[in-house]
Amino acid sequence: MDPILAFCQSQQAGIVDLIRRLVECESPSDDAQAVNRFVDLLAEVLAPLGTVRTFPGGRFGKHLQCEFQLPGGKKTGRVLVLGHSDTVWPLGTLAQMPFREADGRLWGPGVLDMKAGIAFLVYACCALRELDIRVPSKVLLQLNSDEEVGSESSRQLTEKTARKSKVVLVLEPGTGLTGKLKTARKGVGDYTVTVRGKAAHAGVDFSAGASAIVELARQITRIAGFTNLDRGLTVNPGLISGGTRTNVVASEAAAQVDIRVARLRDAAPLDRKFRSLRPFDRHCSIEVSGGLNRPPMERSAGGVRLFRLARRLGRELGIEVEESSTGGGSDGNLTAALGIPTLDGLGAVGEGAHAPQESILIDRIADRTALIAKLLAAM
Ligand SMILES: [Zn+2]
């Protein structure tokens, strides 16, 4: 058997225990104190393995970097391993959704997205150190505290670090119950479309009013028509608000719209469509704000090369690693958009990210950890 895989299997209980500790330290994006507690816990775990630094995250928790001390003499270039410490789960979720081991899985808030992936990297580095396997490049882990809410405070640091790295590996979960790796992700953005009309008494003065709600409803059908499935472009008016009471002609209404683009070159024309929305009713006005937040991670030659390497290394572990693309964004979108070869989805295999059934497969812990270790040794 592959010695790295054998080591990872022998460490399975330790990996599960670390995942439990990480899951039981809740870290919702909007609670900086909680995220900082998680970062402190991880800094303690990482301290024997490398040099840890943290960076202020503004209104979010701090971001963490760890440069690992790994076997082998002089290193050439750097591999950036990217992850996030925050989860979508509010503090106290553990009471209803405790960490547990059942049906061949580990369950709990953030276990799949992405606390298990972090634990895998820790043990991958342990394996390389214990087995004294030469790692040719520097390995830097960066964990952002605000990935689940758009990475506003970490983006600059991610881009700066990525520019000085030759490749990026992302610890987000794999796709589906076979854990496919990700070489493409859609770009993500959002728009707010606000309509202002004219308030009036719905009974006494109806004709004097201009309904922002009626106008917005017409705009929404127009906006929904921007979707172009053949190009992987979707536009989703996901949230609407407006009006004050039923007997008042509404003076204001707004829609929040999620957009996804598979290709960067579709973003500007779509933006122009939003910006050129004009009211049907001349007594109403329209204001548009927002835009693309994360550029798409387009399938690139560099990303595919990384995938093929992972597939070859996976076969040495007896695993057939597959490739996938997804509509969801990650910080890998930012690094790929800079032209840095990025391979995403190297974290846990499971299902139910952001959902109550969030869980990972226990029998895929060892081989995923080993795959990360083998990638680091091969780059
Ligand atoms: Zn994630």
Side-chain angles (χ1 to χ4, degrees):
M1 185 196 286
D2 183 280
I4 295 182
L5 182 58
F7 177 88
C8 294
Q9 285 178 350
S10 76
Q11 299 299 307
Q12 172 120 340
I15 305 175
V16 169
D17 190 59
L18 177 57
I19 295 171
R20 178 187 59 74
R21 287 168 66 201
L22 299 182
V23 170
E24 289 185 343
C25 184
E26 293 178 297
S27 53
S29 319
D30 59 0
D31 189 328
Q33 266 191 327
V35 172
N36 286 341
R37 274 198 298 276
F38 179 85
V39 171
D40 290 340
L41 165 65
L42 208 61
E44 207 181 290
V45 170
L46 292 167
L49 303 174
T51 311
V52 177
R53 289 176 69 188
T54 59
F55 299 80
R59 65 192 169 98
F60 300 102
K62 49 194 174 187
H63 313 303
L64 174 146
Q65 284 187 351
C66 175
E67 184 165 341
F68 289 97
Q69 278 148 21
L70 296 170
K74 196 162 164 14
K75 313 284 187 200
T76 49
R78 181 167 80 187
V79 174
L80 172 61
V81 183
L82 206 48
H84 59 87
S85 51
D86 61 325
T87 74
V88 297
W89 298 101
L91 219 56
T93 300
L94 276 172
Q96 291 83 46
M97 237 175 102
F99 176 86
R100 66 194 172 94
E101 198 177 327
D103 308 322
R105 297 185 183 197
L106 303 179
W107 307 73
V111 66
L112 175 64
D113 189 8
M114 58 178 319
K115 292 182 172 178
I118 298 170
F120 293 177
L121 176 71
V122 170
Y123 272 85
C125 291
C126 289
L128 295 165
R129 286 163 62 101
E130 285 297 315
L131 301 172
D132 198 27
I133 293 170
R134 180 170 184 270
V135 177
S137 309
K138 287 184 191 169
V139 175
L140 183 79
L141 166 68
Q142 180 173 322
L143 284 185
N144 295 329
S145 62
D146 60 348
E147 193 272 347
E148 294 289 5
V149 288
S151 302
E152 133 198 339
S153 86
S154 57
R155 180 174 186 151
Q156 261 197 325
L157 182 64
T158 303
E159 292 179 337
K160 187 176 150 211
T161 313
R163 280 199 185 93
K164 287 187 258 165
S165 305
K166 54 182 178 184
V167 297
V168 179
L169 305 178
V170 187
L171 299 173
E172 293 286 350
T175 302
L177 285 173
T178 55
K180 294 178 188 174
L181 303 185
K182 294 164 184 172
T183 52
R185 285 181 179 272
K186 285 186 183 180
V188 190
D190 53 74
Y191 285 91
T192 301
V193 178
T194 306
V195 175
R196 288 188 186 84
K198 193 159 180 288
H201 191 298
V204 181
D205 219 12
F206 182 82
S207 304
S211 171
I213 288 180
V214 172
E215 175 66 30
L216 181 64
R218 299 177 78 182
Q219 295 295 337
I220 284 175
T221 30
R222 186 189 262 174
I223 290 165
F226 297 165
T227 288
N228 184 338
L229 291 177
D230 291 339
R231 292 190 67 78
L233 188 164
T234 61
V235 176
N236 181 48
L239 215 53
I240 59 168
S241 61
T244 51
R245 319 174 62 86
T246 57
N247 61 1
V248 176
V249 176
S251 67
E252 197 168 313
Q256 282 167 264
V257 185
D258 173 287
I259 60 147
R260 310 268 159 165
V261 291
R263 301 180 179 95
L264 184 60
R265 66 174 181 273
D266 286 346
L270 178 61
D271 189 70
R272 279 195 292 278
K273 285 184 177 173
F274 272 96
R275 304 288 164 187
S276 56
L277 288 172
R278 296 290 172 262
F280 292 92
D281 177 346
R282 62 187 177 84
H283 297 106
C284 291
S285 67
I286 296 177
E287 188 191 314
V288 174
S289 62
L292 189 69
N293 173 22
R294 292 180 203 274
M297 175 203 247
E298 297 191 47
R299 190 172 185 273
S300 70
V304 170
R305 256 198 315 276
L306 278 178
F307 166 73
R308 293 205 173 117
L309 172 63
R311 187 173 58 187
R312 180 167 66 72
L313 298 172
R315 284 178 184 150
E316 293 175 17
L317 301 170
I319 296 286
E320 194 56 35
V321 176
E322 292 171 276
E323 184 184 1
S324 69
S325 66
T326 172
S330 86
D331 285 337
N333 290 50
L334 304 178
T335 63
L338 296 175
I340 316 294
T342 299
L343 185 61
D344 203 334
L346 285 160
V349 182
E351 64 183 338
H354 302 196
Q357 69 275 21
E358 181 167 2
S359 55
I360 69 159
L361 303 183
I362 292 175
D363 65 3
R364 297 301 307 276
I365 289 176
D367 75 80
R368 297 294 272 199
T369 305
L371 181 62
I372 295 170
K374 287 172 80 75
L375 274 167
L376 295 178
M379 299 196 293

